[in-house]
Amino acid sequence: QLSCHRGAEGDLKLWFQVECNDECKDIEIEGLDDLDLISNLLQSEKVIISQELNTQRDFGTIRIECWGEGSYSEFWRSKAEL
């Protein structure tokens, strides 16, 4: 399940509900300003969200990988909550 809403500062937040080991977990990704990312997420057959640990990346540590219809997209964000 996926929903999207606009925060107080005008940025977008995505909220996912996923099933992991027979449990439902919520993931919220903040600071979105990229409509391509939202479009890719909605059309993807498979999505992997991971966090890069112990790195000093300027563009974020949350990696979002999307697969669908023979294509692959990768996006980076700075904040997500589980």
Side-chain angles (χ1 to χ4, degrees):
Q1 186 177 34
L2 169 68
S3 67
C4 179
H5 63 277
R6 193 167 294 278
E9 295 84 32
D11 61 341
L12 295 174
K13 295 181 182 183
L14 284 180
W15 173 78
F16 293 88
Q17 187 174 61
V18 296
E19 188 174 319
C20 180
N21 297 328
D22 297 326
E23 290 183 56
C24 284
K25 297 190 183 253
D26 296 333
I27 300 172
E28 186 175 283
I29 301 173
E30 297 182 19
L32 297 175
D33 56 2
D34 190 342
L35 295 178
D36 285 340
L37 169 57
I38 296 168
S39 176
N40 280 344
L41 285 170
L42 291 173
Q43 297 175 28
S44 292
E45 298 168 6
K46 178 181 174 181
V47 175
I48 295 178
I49 300 172
S50 60
Q51 183 175 20
E52 299 290 315
L53 301 175
N54 302 320
T55 182
Q56 302 297 322
R57 296 181 190 272
D58 291 336
F59 50 85
T61 59
I62 306 299
R63 179 170 56 184
I64 304 165
E65 299 174 274
C66 304
W67 287 267
E69 297 182 17
S71 67
Y72 171 81
S73 300
E74 179 180 278
F75 300 89
W76 290 88
R77 293 296 173 260
S78 58
K79 186 174 181 183
E81 293 182 18
L82 179 62

